[in-house]
Amino acid sequence: MTDVRPYFVPGADAVTVSDWSQLVDGTWESLGEEVENWDYRTDLRLRCAVEADVARIRADTHLTDGSPLAFHFGWRASDTYLVGPSTRVPLVNRQFDVEIEIDPQFAGASIVLTRRLVLERDRFSPRAGEASRAGSILWSHEQPLRLMGQEALFPTEVVDFEAFGIDPGASWHLVMPASPDEPAMGALLLLLNPLDTKLVKAVQRVKNHSDEQLALIEGMEEGVVDEMVRWSLAHWDELGECDPESFGAAARTLTSRVLDEPAAWASDAVLRSSMDLRSSIAAGTRAIGFGRSLS
């Protein structure tokens, strides 16, 4: 589809940008359509190179009067609809690199990386065909990026539930840490009951799941997140002081993404509105990419 705007815009080759790169263990690596092994504790730092023909841009847009133009680099979450802060670079230099950081607490399951060149101030005497409103987008480029796949959230093991003292009629059991201060890595263990052969096969399958298998996994995901959020609410007053690398801090981050106002649920009143809490957790869980999708 051709993008037709009501004002002059730069030619297609007036602005060129590189692909985005991701910082991984101190090294910049090419970024594809998804970030592998991402979780809600992982900061995302991206970089790209830009080459802009400044004189050409102003000539093509007829904005030769010194009107302030600037690039804005940022992102928006495509499922939670939150918009991240943008990095502003005035249209001055022909070549430059730009870096952005994505806060994992607000990223959701997928985001759209945005690059735009905008007019930053209203123009009061524009001629016909010239951009006049602050915020007018003269050039833009967007790239979708998926941050979560179908991989298991935690280490899983298939064990004899009766031997572990767990009701053998249950399909799964989440082993939670005794203290919020325990390190986040390795704090959780998801146990699967071998008697539920359908669930075990679904979890162990790497790809090409059947609809039934996806339903089993998604249902378990929602239950696991529900358990973690309820655990967080029961310890809410303690979690704010936890070490950033602790399970308590990770659980607080997850809960803040799932529920709009976690503190409002962290009271005895929650016990009297358990179904309301369950509904809110389910909706929030789906919004960040776990559990079932209604579309």
Side-chain angles (χ1 to χ4, degrees):
M1 180 182 294
T2 302
D3 183 6
V4 179
R5 307 186 196 191
Y7 45 78
F8 297 114
V9 296
D13 57 349
V15 180
T16 57
V17 292
S18 70
D19 293 335
W20 287 99
S21 297
Q22 175 191 4
L23 186 62
V24 179
D25 296 329
T27 302
W28 291 102
E29 298 181 355
S30 178
L31 184 68
E33 297 180 352
E34 62 181 26
V35 178
E36 296 182 359
N37 302 319
W38 186 89
D39 62 43
Y40 56 85
R41 298 185 301 272
T42 303
D43 292 318
L44 196 59
R45 187 173 175 184
L46 306 179
R47 181 176 72 179
C48 72
V50 180
E51 183 171 350
D53 188 333
V54 180
R56 167 82 180 281
I57 290 171
R58 289 199 173 275
D60 287 352
T61 60
H62 295 208
L63 301 178
T64 56
D65 57 354
S67 295
L69 307 179
F71 287 99
H72 288 260
F73 302 85
W75 59 273
R76 69 176 183 273
S78 53
D79 44 15
T80 62
Y81 306 107
L82 293 174
V83 178
S86 64
T87 297
R88 173 183 177 273
V89 180
L91 181 65
V92 177
N93 298 321
R94 182 180 178 88
Q95 295 179 324
F96 61 91
D97 292 339
V98 65
E99 296 182 12
I100 64 173
E101 292 188 8
I102 298 171
D103 189 334
Q105 296 188 52
F106 307 108
S110 61
I111 62 175
V112 177
L113 303 174
T114 58
R115 298 184 271 206
R116 298 190 176 107
L117 176 63
V118 303
L119 173 65
E120 293 198 304
R121 187 177 64 203
D122 285 343
R123 301 175 68 241
F124 299 106
S125 301
R127 289 174 292 183
E130 295 178 355
S132 61
R133 297 289 186 181
S136 296
I137 300 174
L138 305 174
W139 171 90
S140 67
H141 179 271
E142 296 189 348
Q143 176 185 335
L145 180 66
R146 182 165 178 79
L147 300 179
M148 292 182 181
Q150 297 295 329
E151 293 79 8
L153 280 171
F154 322 109
T156 60
E157 290 187 14
V158 180
V159 301
D160 184 336
F161 271 32
E162 191 168 6
F164 272 70
I166 305 170
D167 193 318
S171 295
W172 58 269
H173 181 89
L174 185 64
V175 179
M176 304 285 286
S179 167
D181 294 318
E182 290 190 24
M185 296 300 293
L188 296 176
L189 178 61
L190 185 60
L191 302 179
L192 302 180
N193 188 345
L195 297 180
D196 191 338
T197 56
K198 290 185 177 180
L199 178 61
V200 171
K201 288 181 179 179
V203 172
Q204 292 179 337
R205 191 177 185 87
V206 176
K207 57 182 180 180
N208 298 326
H209 294 83
S210 67
D211 290 343
E212 181 185 25
Q213 290 176 326
L214 284 176
L216 290 171
I217 293 174
E218 291 166 351
M220 184 180 67
E221 282 182 348
E222 290 187 14
V224 167
V225 175
D226 185 277
E227 184 65 25
M228 289 185 63
V229 169
R230 290 177 184 273
W231 181 95
S232 298
L233 295 177
H235 298 81
W236 195 251
D237 292 339
E238 308 170 51
L239 303 187
E241 304 299 322
C242 287
D243 183 275
E245 300 300 320
S246 68
F247 172 75
R252 182 184 175 90
T253 296
L254 174 64
T255 302
S256 297
R257 292 183 62 212
V258 171
L259 297 176
D260 290 335
E261 297 182 19
W265 295 99
S267 68
D268 292 339
V270 171
L271 298 177
R272 296 191 294 273
S273 58
S274 181
M275 193 63 237
D276 290 339
L277 176 58
R278 183 179 180 84
S279 296
S280 294
I281 293 176
T285 300
R286 294 170 181 181
I288 64 173
F290 295 116
R292 292 183 57 204
S293 171
L294 299 183
S295 58

